[in-house]
Amino acid sequence: MSKLSMNSRYLILKLLMLVVIEGCLSALDGFNGTCDDSFSCGTISGIGYPFRRRQDPAYCGYPGFDLDCDERNPPTIDIMNLTYHILGIDPTTQILRMIREDMVNSFCPQDLVNTTINHELFDYTSSYMNITFLFGCPFSSNVVGFGSILCRNDEVTNPVFLLPGIQGPGNCKTSVVTPVPVGFVDPTGLGQVLSNGFEVRWKVGRTCTGCMRSGGRCLYDNGTRLTTCVCPEPTFLADSCSTTNKTEVGSSPSSGMQLFYTSFLLVFLALIHISSYYECFQV
């Protein structure tokens, strides 16, 4: 194959690549300005990916990290059918501190369901343990644990027993599990302990710090179901936007065949990303 023929093939592939990815790049330019690097929600500022405000486009945050915002109150998040008030977000340690909405003004659960997190997205930090509230126990019960407190539910005040760990209801009507700091022993201080909330560490978007430092922005790719780093310059999709990760289309090839296969690969990747990103934008 002659040098002229190889150069001609390369030019054709390059033109084809530009035509194919034109729509994809215009879409990337279109959403590059729609997601904030950081934003305020309620009483908390400096929030970024994987979180998003519920009214933001879906690709601005990871599924399950949607926040409802009220400028006078803490943001709220829904996890496993329970609503939580967010008390703090630390992007450096990826720690989220929150409290059940039904326990904001009461140290007794009002919704008689366990505190359950999605372990695909979160893990409890090591500084917390579980306790169990036992509701509706027979008056003759002799429950061994931390003792009992008085809880008001459905306009009725009844004694509720506190036990360490995860316990079933046994002879009682209902058990509710919730986390407290390790070392909890005194039920008289339960209100103060619970008002501080508990901490979980989120497990997604860990590469976003490097992406943002390199000038990129993390977005959720609905096609691949993964976090991706979108860069302001070619290549537009990468682990980070440092120059070492970029492919310069106009650089001189070390050989004609290497150039041919590089161009072919770029076209192939462009086709893949077009299909995934158009699906994402239509959400």
Side-chain angles (χ1 to χ4, degrees), residues 192-215:
Q192 180 61 44
V193 166
L194 293 177
S195 67
N196 292 327
F198 62 94
E199 294 179 343
V200 295
R201 180 175 285 105
W202 68 85
K203 301 161 63 174
V204 301
R206 291 177 176 172
T207 60
C208 281
T209 301
C211 172
M212 294 180 64
R213 285 177 179 171
S214 66

Side-chain angles (χ1 to χ4, degrees), residues 214-272:
S214 66
R217 175 175 294 150
C218 276
L219 299 173
Y220 179 71
D221 186 336
N222 191 55
T224 63
R225 309 278 195 238
L226 296 172
T227 297
T228 189
C229 185
V230 179
C231 306
E233 301 175 357
T235 55
F236 291 87
L237 303 171
D239 292 332
S240 69
C241 301
S242 61
T243 54
T244 56
N245 288 333
K246 295 181 181 179
T247 301
E248 298 294 341
V249 175
S251 61
S252 298
S254 57
S255 70
M257 288 303 294
Q258 286 181 341
L259 191 56
F260 178 85
Y261 286 120
T262 298
S263 301
F264 181 82
L265 179 60
L266 287 172
V267 172
F268 180 73
L269 292 175
L271 289 170
I272 293 175

